[in-house]
Amino acid sequence: MSFFALTVFGLGAMSVATDSDIIAVPGLGQSPGIAGMLAAIAAFVTTLRGALRRRHPSFLSAPVTALMTALVHLIGVWFAVLVSTGDLVIATAVTGGLVQGGPSLVILVAAAIAAWGGIALRRTRAEHPRWPWERDEDE
């Protein structure tokens, strides 16, 4: 599963289980969530790409990737709320609510799982699956 799919599933399940919105500020809209996820995806891809460029990537890159992803998500949401409302206190309260309420933990765990999977695929030199007729006759 990809980082995005894990995150969407986790946040959706958390929202349904708690019967609450992820960002519960009236009139704020969806732009802070979208900006935060776009920033998180960019951070995840950039950080993991750097780790995977090595010949034998270390699994210690997974927690670093996860932490960077979660932090950049918070920064993206904070900045988007600040631009939307112009209020520093509301922006800080929204990001504090993400940390305290659990969505940041969901993003952290999803990024750690997806990064670990990417590193494992790179270390094992896994190939794309092929249909039987795509294989070489000599195998």
Side-chain angles (χ1 to χ4, degrees):
M1 261 188 161
S2 69
F3 161 67
F4 184 70
L6 284 171
T7 305
V8 168
F9 176 75
L11 291 176
M14 189 184 79
S15 179
V16 168
T18 60
D19 194 29
S20 64
D21 293 333
I22 301 297
I23 299 176
V25 176
L28 197 54
Q30 295 179 352
S31 61
I34 293 169
M37 279 310 298
L38 289 175
I41 291 169
F44 177 81
V45 168
T46 304
T47 308
L48 188 60
R49 180 182 293 157
L52 294 179
R53 286 187 183 213
R54 295 185 191 147
R55 171 172 251 178
H56 194 70
S58 171
F59 282 109
L60 293 176
S61 301
V64 172
T65 300
L67 187 61
M68 286 299 295
T69 302
L71 288 175
V72 169
H73 174 261
L74 288 173
I75 292 168
V77 169
W78 183 85
F79 188 73
V81 173
L82 184 64
V83 168
S84 295
T85 63
D87 192 351
L88 187 66
V89 174
I90 292 175
T92 305
V94 167
T95 54
L98 291 175
V99 172
Q100 189 177 29
S104 290
L105 181 63
V106 170
I107 291 170
L108 183 76
V109 170
I113 292 169
W116 184 88
I119 292 168
L121 285 173
R122 173 74 166 98
R123 285 175 64 128
T124 60
R125 295 184 183 97
E127 295 181 9
H128 295 289
R130 296 186 301 179
W131 293 101
W133 58 82
E134 293 178 316
R135 296 190 182 123
D136 293 332
E137 297 296 325
D138 299 335
E139 289 181 16

